[in-house]
Amino acid sequence: MKSTFSVLFYIDRSKTNKQSKCVIRCRITCNGTSSSFSTGLSTSPNDWLARKARIKEEANRASFVNLQLNSMDERLHTLYELTLREENYVTAEYLKEQYLRQTKPIPTLIELYQSLFESKEELKGHTLSKATVRAFKDSQKSFVRFLRASNNEECLPQAVDKDLIESYRLFMLRDLGNKESSVSNRLRHLHQVIRKALQEQYIREDPFDFIDIETPTYERNALTSDELHKLLSFRPHKSVDNHCRLIFLLGCFTGLAFSDLKKLRMDDVYTLSDGRRYISLCRTKTQNRCIIPLLPIAEEILSIVSGGRKEGLIFREFPTNSHFNRKIREIIIKAGLPPHTEATSHTARHTFATTICLENGLPIETVSKMLGHRFISTTELYAKVSKSKIAREMQPLMGSDTTRELRKALRVCPPRDPSKKP
């Protein structure tokens, strides 16, 4: 069936502005259906020629307005032919949407990044954590630095391709000195911006379809029982070092993250009717409530740090994360741990989950609740099996009857002498 198409301009006489002018509207008709929109132009009803759908030539601004209307008519017909040829199907409403999208200025990547950041900023503290929003903001700054370094600040979404993404990846690794994990996260943030451009139909294809964003797998560090014992026995000479050591040890025996230890208050420590004490607070990152029964050593650390106080913050002085990590690395070496031992503020949380809880048989569901995780799949990342646990659980199998019987059945053939021919 042959497709029909027409464009008609008319004035809306039902509405006039302060100058008694009417808005000129455009009606698109395609295969019997129509859709209209405002052209953004206006004219006096007396100057409008309905038969020609234009303004009288002698009217004020007639040449300018008529030229604009002619241009719109030409662009709509061109768009109709192009859409019909490429998609083999067109409606009046779809054509209107495509035309209005073309006339709307396309934002740059920096503007799209900023728009997405502002939408995340509104969700901060509700469905998104402050850390998530802050990480996205850091990614935005990183990408802006990349565009400025390449003199491409006005880069549009259509310009993003595999080469640009790979150049950005190299820039973060070489010029910014980012780790592989940070690079992967920032590329994912850029992918969110590209998906927004796809959603707004500024682009038709996703360039990330040809990019593999790999997240490097790292060994999640946790101190062993022996290493933890050495750290407990060590007494630093400096009070600053001892303060950092107590913060780290409290994390090892409660599983609280660095940000949660920083805001921990006396009011967060509760006593049950049977005398048992536990910590209950909402996590800074996820806002999930975690419930942690206090082990005796954790209670002792709390009593040392609090100094008999009944209210306020547990730690009245708290180091920055970078300073704390540097101090902990120095302390563990002084405590006699191997020099290659990796330890950060998050190592304490892993130590609690792995060495204190999971290796001693606690169910992973219980550990997940104490850590304040939303999903148990997050807790499973902590559930690494140590070498000592493997050796301990394999020990009964070493001298079992089954193993001995299998060993007797083994027939060892002597190695063949290559000098002797068959």
Side-chain angles (χ1 to χ4, degrees), residues 53-70:
R54 296 293 187 274
I55 298 177
K56 295 177 182 178
E57 293 183 1
E58 61 271 17
N60 186 30
R61 297 177 71 246
S63 58
F64 171 77
V65 174
N66 287 338
L67 186 64
Q68 293 292 316
L69 297 178
N70 291 338

Side-chain angles (χ1 to χ4, degrees), residues 390-401 403-404:
I390 293 173
R392 189 168 58 250
E393 294 185 352
M394 282 291 291
Q395 191 61 40
L397 186 61
M398 297 297 181
S400 68
D401 294 338
T403 306
R404 283 195 294 268

Side-chain angles (χ1 to χ4, degrees), residues 265-319:
R265 303 181 64 85
M266 301 290 184
D267 301 339
D268 297 324
V269 183
Y270 298 86
T271 305
L272 295 177
S273 56
D274 58 358
R276 287 183 299 171
R277 287 161 61 78
Y278 65 95
I279 292 174
S280 178
L281 81 164
C282 287
R283 288 202 60 210
T284 304
K285 183 177 181 180
T286 62
Q287 298 302 310
N288 274 22
R289 180 162 291 277
C290 57
I291 301 173
I292 309 157
L294 283 176
L295 296 169
I297 192 166
E299 287 201 62
E300 187 175 346
I301 294 172
L302 283 174
S303 64
I304 293 172
V305 175
S306 63
R309 291 180 290 115
K310 300 295 182 183
E311 58 183 19
L313 292 169
I314 296 288
F315 297 99
R316 288 184 290 187
E317 295 181 0
F318 212 84

Side-chain angles (χ1 to χ4, degrees), residues 62-80:
S63 58
F64 171 77
V65 174
N66 287 338
L67 186 64
Q68 293 292 316
L69 297 178
N70 291 338
S71 176
M72 288 183 192
D73 184 73
E74 183 180 347
R75 286 158 61 190
L76 281 167
H77 276 83
T78 302
L79 181 61
Y80 167 75

Side-chain angles (χ1 to χ4, degrees), residues 9 45-57:
F9 296 103
N46 298 328
D47 295 336
W48 183 252
L49 296 175
R51 185 174 57 84
K52 293 185 177 182
R54 296 293 187 274
I55 298 177
K56 295 177 182 178
E57 293 183 1

Side-chain angles (χ1 to χ4, degrees), residues 8 30 37 66 72 76 99 128 157 159-160 172 194 197 207 222 230 254 326 345 357:
L8 174 67
C30 185
F37 61 92
N66 287 338
M72 288 183 192
L76 281 167
Y99 174 78
L128 293 178
V160 180
M172 288 188 285
I194 295 301
K230 289 180 181 180
T254 60
R326 187 168 61 253
S345 58
C357 296

Side-chain angles (χ1 to χ4, degrees), residues 26 28 81 130 163 168 184 187 189 201 203 220 227 252 328 356 361 391:
C26 175
I28 302 171
E81 295 291 342
K130 294 179 181 178
D163 291 339
Y168 179 42
S184 298
L187 286 178
H189 290 154
Q201 296 188 5
I203 55 177
R220 293 186 175 266
E227 292 170 340
C252 289
I328 286 300
I356 304 299

Side-chain angles (χ1 to χ4, degrees), residues 6-10 25-29 34-37 76:
S6 65
V7 177
L8 174 67
F9 296 103
Y10 66 98
R25 297 184 63 84
C26 175
R27 180 188 294 124
I28 302 171
T29 304
S34 62
S35 183
S36 64
F37 61 92
L76 281 167

